[in-house]
């Protein structure tokens, strides 16, 4: 049986908890030792970029998007839009705008992205009562109460209006769809 995970604003998933935990890991925190990386030549940067997995390429697009540099679809393809976003990021950060990010530049982009997560104090939280494990921005929301099948998180004051609602209920895809339809009728759920 699959658990239904529906944190408002974050995601909707019918993955088993083990898969949810893995899917919610987000960007990897860059080891401080990597900050001492020497920049590669353009040829080396292209070779290293070619070794990136599809997931890593998509993550770079997401981070460029989060930073306001990339406006396209997250498709893991480094086309003209992604290259333009890389050049814009490089220019903004004092690098030659080649459109090909070196390993060092990617590490810096990861640190910038993770800084936002650190400011929100995003941490993996496991709630045994609801059976949900998810990353939660603890600077923005804190647990308030249970009202089965809901776990309510209200704003801390750090991010005005922030709220999170977790729903945990055994079910399958059809039950998930029915639950989603019901949720759309609630005042607290945005359309």
């Amino acid at each position: 049986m699959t658990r239904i995970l529906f944190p408002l604003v974050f995601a909707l998933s019918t993955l088993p908890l083990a898969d949810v935990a893995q899917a919610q890991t987000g960007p990897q925190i860059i080891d401080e030792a990597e900050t001492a990386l020497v920049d590669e030549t353009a040829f080396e940067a292209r070779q290293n970029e070619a070794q990136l997995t599809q997931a890593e390429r998509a993550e770079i697009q997401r981070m460029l998007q989060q930073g306001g540099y990339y406006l396209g679809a997250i498709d893991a393809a480094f086309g003209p839009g992604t290259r333009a976003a890389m050049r814009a990021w490089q220019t903004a950060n004092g690098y030659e705008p080649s459109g090909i990010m070196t390993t060092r530049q990617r590490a810096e982009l990861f640190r910038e992205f993770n800084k936002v997560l650190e400011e929100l104090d995003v941490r993996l939280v496991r709630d045994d009562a609801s059976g949900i494990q998810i990353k939660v921005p603890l600077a923005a929301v804190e647990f308030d109460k249970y009202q089965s099948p809901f776990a309510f998180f209200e704003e801390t004051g750090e991010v005005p209006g922030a709220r999170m609602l977790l729903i945990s209920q055994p079910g399958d895809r059809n039950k998930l769809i029915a639950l989603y339809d019901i949720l759309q009728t609630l005042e607290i759920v945005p359309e």
Side-chain angles (χ1 to χ4, degrees):
M1 188 174 313
T2 303
R3 305 266 317 160
I4 295 175
L5 170 64
F6 186 88
L8 292 180
V9 178
F10 290 104
L12 172 61
S13 175
T14 58
L15 296 172
L17 282 178
D19 294 337
V20 171
Q22 186 171 352
Q24 298 285 337
T25 57
Q28 299 298 313
I29 296 175
I30 301 300
D31 183 19
E32 290 299 320
E34 291 186 52
T35 60
L37 292 171
V38 176
D39 256 339
E40 302 113 335
T41 65
F43 178 76
E44 292 168 329
R46 278 189 198 94
Q47 285 183 317
N48 287 331
E49 183 182 88
Q51 301 301 314
L52 294 173
T53 66
Q54 185 173 5
E56 290 169 329
R57 294 164 84 78
E59 190 65 24
I60 289 169
Q61 287 179 320
R62 276 190 284 279
M63 288 183 285
L64 288 167
Q65 189 178 61
Q66 178 69 31
Y69 299 101
Y70 181 62
L71 304 175
I74 305 299
D75 58 8
F78 286 0
T82 304
R83 295 292 178 200
M86 289 178 180
R87 281 191 296 278
W89 181 89
Q90 288 168 325
T91 300
N93 288 278
Y95 294 105
E96 181 181 334
S98 67
I100 298 170
M101 297 180 85
T102 65
T103 302
R104 181 179 180 186
Q105 291 169 2
R106 289 193 308 269
E108 187 174 326
L109 177 64
F110 279 111
R111 278 192 307 279
E112 284 178 13
F113 183 81
N114 285 328
K115 183 179 179 187
V116 171
L117 297 178
E118 288 172 16
E119 289 172 358
L120 289 174
D121 194 19
V122 175
R123 295 193 196 188
L124 187 63
V125 172
R126 175 162 176 81
D127 179 40
D128 290 327
S130 64
I132 294 175
Q133 181 171 304
I134 188 170
K135 287 204 172 208
V136 176
L138 295 175
V141 296
E142 63 187 354
F143 174 75
D144 181 44
K145 64 184 175 188
Y146 291 115
Q147 187 175 345
S148 184
F150 304 102
F152 292 87
F153 290 74
E154 297 295 332
E155 71 176 277
T156 61
E158 194 70 27
V159 179
R163 294 173 63 192
M164 189 168 85
L165 176 65
L166 302 180
I167 302 171
S168 177
Q169 184 172 333
D172 59 11
R173 181 173 172 74
N174 290 333
K175 192 162 191 170
L176 175 66
I177 291 169
L179 182 60
Y180 180 78
D181 289 341
I182 292 168
L183 287 172
Q184 292 301 305
T185 66
L186 301 176
E187 184 178 309
I188 63 168
V189 178
E191 290 185 24

